[in-house]
Amino acid sequence: MYSERVLSGMRPTGPLHLGHYHGVLKNWLSLQSEFECLFFVADWHALTTHYDNPEIVSNNVWEMVIDWLAAGVDPSQATLFVQSRVPEHAELHLLLSMATPLGWLERVPSFKDQQEKITDKDLSTYGFLGYPLLQSADILIYRADKVPVGEDQVPHVELTREIARRFNHLFGREDNFEKKAEEASKKLGGKRSKLILQLRQNFNEKGDTSSLERAKAILQDSQNLTMDDRELLFGFLEGAKRLILVEPQPLLTKNSKLPGLDGQKMSKSYGNAIKMREDVDSVVLKLKKMPTDPARVRRNDPGSPERCPVWPLHKIYSNPSSLSWVREGCTSASIGCLECKTPLIDLVTDEQKKFKENAKPYEEDLGVVKNIISDGCERARELAKQTMRDVRESMGLDYS
Ligand code: TRP
Ligand code: SF4
């Protein structure tokens, strides 16, 4: 019934680095050519932890979109938008909050973890507790069935599935659902309408799936049904409640194999990152200073790539023949570390040159970026409005 739709968001809290590129963005690039994709700037999410420095968020919104575009995210394939410009997310979040048990949120692992880890801010706020539910609203409002996330975010998608199930259970039953369905079936004409009811009974009472298939085929072929009627009758046939919200699946993004300059995970807060559009001199310096296998104290000491933080970078950037040159040269001490890093430095800076070239037209005219986002917001909002109509109706909020 629903087309395959991918949704993902990113917090605008700083310039993106090579870890984002090799971990998340390259994945987005392959998804955008395969599925309908929606990618958004999660500015409200950023405020759940940066409410005391909102300028960090506003200063990074456009820059982050430029990083996406520089990486090759294509606005003619994917819909790019900003969360706060689609206020329906907030409405859905509010409505979902009515029926969300507190315990479900308190049990989300990131809640306790982050509260313990982030000690320089007071995170015992309502917004912080509710942030996984806001994420559920982000996903459910587009009826997205695929959510590319890292391992740490999988529990949030799991929560979203539970929220959707609970919503459909509580609100998916319309009092007059059967009556509406019977009304709709009359449009098929007396004979076919009777047949449909008969087939439905065969399926519901005897589990006869061929009756179900036959009935579905009849509905599929009927010219005088609207799409809504047809959808209603499909739900009616299966004797099920209406599925207002769709349960999404996580698409696990493997951890970026690109570590930071110190061998730990690349992260702005560890100070071991290389920004996507970093100044070339600064990148060269950082890579030259990067630590290597501690066993290679002197130039003549043989080393082992497995113990060297430079090696995983080579594995991402270098071709097989230069990888064997590194392994051979390192273990036999026939090359020095700087020599080993030189081709890598070229590859990294070439890649960055490409990012900078791609970014240039957007940096020079922010209006282009803003237009891309305006278009995306409009498209996203259309989809969000459709879901909200159904949500309001199913909760009895359609009196006006
Ligand atoms: N919570 C995600 C993060 O912190 C960002 C995010 C917000 C998101 N809403 C989303 C990701 C919906 C996927 C789907 O990284
Ligand atoms: Fe690392 Fe290369 Fe030096 Fe070996 S030669 S320790 S792989 S930088």
Side-chain angles (χ1 to χ4, degrees):
M1 171 158 83
Y2 298 102
S3 57
E4 299 191 298
R5 189 176 284 160
V6 173
L7 173 106
S8 200
M10 222 190 259
R11 295 172 174 232
T13 52
L16 300 188
H17 52 61
L18 297 181
H20 294 117
Y21 175 68
H22 290 280
V24 183
L25 292 175
K26 280 208 307 209
N27 191 232
W28 285 13
L29 300 186
S30 63
L31 290 169
Q32 73 180 359
S33 56
E34 201 179 341
F35 303 109
E36 178 188 357
C37 286
L38 293 140
F39 300 129
F40 73 99
V41 179
D43 55 345
W44 281 340
H45 281 267
L47 286 176
T48 63
T49 48
H50 289 65
Y51 58 86
D52 51 351
N53 289 94
E55 66 283 358
I56 294 187
V57 179
S58 39
N59 290 344
N60 283 295
V61 168
W62 302 123
E63 286 305 305
M64 186 167 83
V65 177
I66 294 178
D67 282 331
W68 292 357
L69 296 166
V73 177
D74 177 359
S76 68
Q77 296 191 70
T79 299
L80 312 183
F81 68 99
V82 173
Q83 184 182 32
S84 64
R85 298 255 304 262
V86 186
E88 284 79 5
H89 288 230
E91 184 185 354
L92 184 57
H93 177 213
L94 176 82
L95 293 178
L96 295 176
S97 78
M98 304 299 172
T100 302
L102 267 182
W104 287 17
L105 296 174
E106 287 160 345
R107 273 196 297 274
V108 172
S110 62
F111 179 61
K112 273 214 173 73
D113 290 359
Q114 298 258 60
Q115 271 197 335
E116 281 163 16
K117 249 197 258 160
I118 303 177
T119 49
D120 57 334
K121 286 184 224 205
D122 182 4
L123 288 185
S124 45
T125 57
Y126 179 55
F128 186 69
L129 176 67
Y131 122 74
L133 188 64
L134 178 59
Q135 183 163 357
S136 298
D138 299 336
I139 298 167
L140 296 173
I141 205 159
Y142 300 106
R143 294 176 161 141
D145 57 346
K146 295 182 181 54
V147 183
V149 284
E151 197 120 34
D152 57 321
Q153 297 273 317
V154 172
H156 297 172
V157 182
E158 228 11 86
L159 172 77
T160 305
R161 293 172 59 81
E162 274 161 30
I163 297 283
R165 230 174 286 148
R166 182 166 166 83
F167 187 96
N168 291 332
H169 171 72
L170 287 172
F171 307 113
R173 261 188 292 258
E174 286 179 277
D175 291 341
N176 52 0
F177 180 58
E178 301 240 334
K179 226 170 132 198
K180 270 192 179 167
E182 275 166 32
E183 283 300 312
S185 82
K186 282 190 193 139
K187 294 184 194 162
L188 294 165
K191 235 175 164 175
R192 276 191 302 169
S193 162
K194 235 191 223 146
L195 180 57
I196 290 281
L197 293 180
Q198 185 60 52
L199 291 168
R200 174 181 188 253
Q201 204 176 350
N202 289 352
F203 172 65
N204 283 334
E205 286 171 14
K206 303 180 207 131
D208 176 8
T209 48
S210 67
S211 293
L212 176 66
E213 291 314 315
R214 230 182 108 198
K216 282 186 174 172
I218 295 173
L219 294 181
Q220 205 63 273
D221 292 342
S222 310
Q223 306 294 329
N224 41 356
L225 289 179
T226 63
M227 257 182 25
D228 281 351
D229 284 340
R230 196 171 286 131
E231 205 169 291
L232 183 75
L233 286 168
F234 274 141
F236 176 68
L237 281 180
E238 295 185 353
K241 48 200 179 309
R242 251 177 7 128
L243 294 184
I244 319 251
L245 299 178
V246 175
E247 288 181 40
Q249 294 289 345
L251 279 185
L252 196 62
T253 315
K254 281 185 260 17
N255 264 341
S256 165
K257 283 185 225 63
L258 188 98
L261 296 162
D262 55 358
Q264 278 184 276
K265 182 181 158 126
M266 186 177 280
S267 159
K268 179 171 47 104
S269 50
Y270 299 162
N272 63 356
I274 296 176
K275 294 192 281 270
M276 279 177 64
R277 289 178 282 145
E278 188 157 330
D279 196 51
V280 65
D281 295 338
S282 154
V283 176
V284 172
L285 192 68
K286 278 181 179 176
L287 289 170
K288 280 188 176 163
K289 285 204 312 210
M290 196 176 159
T292 60
D293 177 1
R296 292 203 74 182
V297 184
R298 279 170 298 266
R299 166 72 176 75
N300 294 336
D301 297 330
S304 152
E306 271 66 39
R307 285 194 302 259
C308 174
V310 179
W311 177 240
L313 287 182
H314 263 302
K315 280 204 287 196
I316 294 230
Y317 284 91
S318 303
N319 62 28
S321 80
S322 75
L323 286 177
S324 43
W325 170 79
V326 171
R327 179 178 287 289
E328 168 60 29
C330 178
T331 50
S332 65
S334 64
I335 60 171
C337 287
L338 198 56
E339 201 179 343
C340 170
K341 287 173 174 178
T342 304
L344 179 67
I345 292 173
D346 290 344
L347 290 164
V348 173
T349 49
D350 278 353
E351 182 181 76
Q352 296 211 313
K353 213 164 114 198
K354 197 183 72 197
F355 294 149
K356 289 174 200 163
E357 275 166 18
N358 293 345
K360 198 155 180 254
Y362 303 114
E363 291 169 335
E364 284 172 356
D365 185 0
L366 211 51
V368 180
V369 184
K370 292 186 175 177
N371 282 340
I372 289 171
I373 292 296
S374 289
D375 286 352
C377 290
E378 209 172 298
R379 258 184 286 164
R381 209 156 173 208
E382 244 353 276
L383 298 172
K385 279 183 182 161
Q386 285 169 19
T387 308
M388 284 317 293
R389 254 197 301 273
D390 292 351
V391 165
R392 285 189 213 110
E393 190 199 20
S394 61
M395 292 181 81
L397 293 165
D398 55 341
Y399 39 78
S400 62

